[in-house]
């Protein structure tokens, strides 16, 4: 184990110990779990998520019958098993590098009667293809979360990602909750909209030059008269909500993004940031856009 990894392990235990007095029992068992299987090099020590936190993670991600849940570093399988058994997910997969954990997880899935819907794979999470997840769950370490971030941002827009305890660096979570003194973060993978777009609406056509930072969008709108206005907005998966212009002249556009097209969505879900910057402006009723 590298020095930085060793200090991260120490940091993990320290962070958990400082914040979560209730974890002390788990912490006491972690070194024993490591000692029992010295041949496996773990990027994160085994510390299970308490059942109430598992439940809230899956509730926050709104897991339901359409979902396939993947838990990265699945331990005894509790998150993947609960996703299917208690939240009705159509299927789940857990991956863990430690064969002992996989053995336990398979036994637990059998006992829970969900072995036909939950698969556990003994593999490294960094080598795992998790593109089929509609919900991704994790209880890892801050640097592991951040190193997974580029791959997570390539997932289908709208995929929910939920983490017990740790954040994902500069990608702020869309939802943050505290449960029994633990932190739960939820991110919704945003559509990719950076670049130039042509938007057509009731006021004619304009070109947007958009920059994107995770779920935040900013840029400039140019219209046919040569005037420019600022653009600011947010993404929630495929839902985009942006404001063009400022003050009383501001116009709000709410819609959905599908690849290189975007268009107004009836009753589109407004996002807090865009709503605030648009004041009382109601969304432009009918508009569409295409990538240039
Ligand atoms: C903090 S535990 C979380 C267990 C479970 N997800 C939960 O919340 O109860 C982290 C798990 O990640 C596993 N792990 C560590 N490094 C890994 C790696 N590179 N690939 C896959 N699993 C790993 C450990 O064996 C451990 O079971």
């Amino acid at each position: 184990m590298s020095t930085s990894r060793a200090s991260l392990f120490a940091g993990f235990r320290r962070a958990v110990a400082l914040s979560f007095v209730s974890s002390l029992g788990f912490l006491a068992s972690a070194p024993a779990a490591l000692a029992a299987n010295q041949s496996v090099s773990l990027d994160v020590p085994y510390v299970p998520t308490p059942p109430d936190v598992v439940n809230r993670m899956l509730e926050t991600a709104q897991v339901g019958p359409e979902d396939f849940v993947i838990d990265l570093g699945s331990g005894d399988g509790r998150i993947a098993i609960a996703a299917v058994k208690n939240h009705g997910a159509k299927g789940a997969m857990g991956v863990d590098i430690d064969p002992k954990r996989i053995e336990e997880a398979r036994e637990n899935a059998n006992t829970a009667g969900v072995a036909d819907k939950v698969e556990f794979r003994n593999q490294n999470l960094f080598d795992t293809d998790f593109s089929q997840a509609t919900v991704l769950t994790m209880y890892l370490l801050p640097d592991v979360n951040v190193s997974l971030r580029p791959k997570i941002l390539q997932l289908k827009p709208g995929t929910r990602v939920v983490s017990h305890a740790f954040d994902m660096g500069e990608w702020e979570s869309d939802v943050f909750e505290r449960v029994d003194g633990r932190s739960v973060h939820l991110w919704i993978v945003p559509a990719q909209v950076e670049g130039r777009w042509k938007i057509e609406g009731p006021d004619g056509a304009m070109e947007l030059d958009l920059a994107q930072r995770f779920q935040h969008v900013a840029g400039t709108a140019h219209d046919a008269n040569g005037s420019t206005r600022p653009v600011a907005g947010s993404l929630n998966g495929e839902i985009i909500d942006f404001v063009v212009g400022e003050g009383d002249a501001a116009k709000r556009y709410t819609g959905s993004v599908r690849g290189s097209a975007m268009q107004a969505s009836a009753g589109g879900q407004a996002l807090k940031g865009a709503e605030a910057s648009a004041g009382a402006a109601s969304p432009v009723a009918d508009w569409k856009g295409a990538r240039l």
Side-chain angles (χ1 to χ4, degrees):
M1 190 189 304
S2 68
T3 313
S4 65
R5 177 68 59 201
S7 63
L8 271 168
F9 267 66
F12 185 97
R13 295 200 188 91
R14 206 165 39 243
V16 175
L18 285 172
S19 315
F20 317 131
V21 175
S22 61
S23 295
L24 290 175
F26 298 119
L27 290 167
S29 65
L34 289 172
N37 199 343
Q38 289 295 1
S39 59
V40 181
S41 169
L42 302 179
D43 289 285
V44 186
Y46 176 53
V47 183
T49 297
D52 284 354
V53 181
V54 170
N55 186 43
R56 185 63 74 85
M57 288 169 77
L58 297 169
E59 269 177 12
T60 305
Q62 298 184 3
V63 170
E66 301 299 314
D67 287 313
F68 187 83
V69 178
I70 296 184
D71 187 30
L72 296 176
S74 48
D76 68 0
R78 58 185 60 203
I79 295 179
I81 292 169
V84 166
K85 192 172 166 74
N86 306 333
H87 295 260
K90 67 180 177 195
M93 180 174 95
V95 299
D96 205 292
I97 203 162
D98 188 339
K100 175 91 179 66
R101 300 276 93 82
I102 293 295
E103 205 179 298
E104 282 168 12
R106 287 179 182 152
E107 268 175 39
N108 291 338
N110 270 326
T111 307
V114 294
D116 57 331
K117 288 187 174 170
V118 187
E119 182 192 1
F120 290 102
R121 292 190 190 169
N122 186 201
Q123 62 190 45
N124 192 326
L125 62 89
F126 290 109
D127 301 331
T128 297
D129 174 3
F130 47 81
S131 57
Q132 64 177 133
T134 60
V135 175
L136 192 65
T137 60
M138 55 183 75
Y139 180 23
L140 301 170
L141 280 167
D143 73 321
V144 176
N145 287 2
V146 169
S147 59
L148 288 168
R149 200 171 70 189
K151 209 166 151 185
I152 291 175
L153 284 163
Q154 296 305 314
L155 293 173
K156 191 173 174 302
T159 303
R160 288 93 82 207
V161 182
V162 62
S163 167
H164 171 194
F166 299 113
D167 63 20
M168 211 139 11
E170 294 161 320
W171 183 11
E172 65 197 46
S173 49
D174 294 294
V175 178
F176 173 76
E177 294 192 10
R178 296 281 290 170
V179 190
D180 298 341
R182 311 294 183 111
S183 298
V184 171
H185 303 261
L186 172 82
W187 298 262
I188 316 273
V189 174
Q192 303 291 327
V193 297
E194 179 142 330
R196 289 178 59 231
W197 295 78
K198 182 173 183 184
I199 304 289
E200 290 174 274
D203 297 336
M206 63 182 169
E207 276 186 29
L208 300 186
D209 226 330
L210 297 181
Q212 178 172 357
R213 189 150 175 74
F214 308 113
Q215 65 273 64
H216 302 293
V217 177
T220 313
H222 311 264
D223 64 23
N225 306 324
S227 68
T228 60
R229 287 169 293 164
V231 178
S234 317
L235 284 150
N236 179 346
E238 290 182 327
I239 301 168
I240 189 164
D241 196 345
F242 62 94
V243 175
V244 178
E246 291 168 304
D248 290 346
K251 292 264 168 74
R252 187 163 132 230
Y253 294 75
T254 299
S256 55
V257 183
R258 295 274 153 76
S260 39
M262 54 171 91
Q263 65 175 39
S265 50
Q269 199 180 321
L271 299 179
K272 277 188 204 142
E275 214 171 33
S277 55
S282 54
V284 172
D286 192 18
W287 62 273
K288 64 180 180 180
R291 240 182 217 290
L292 289 173

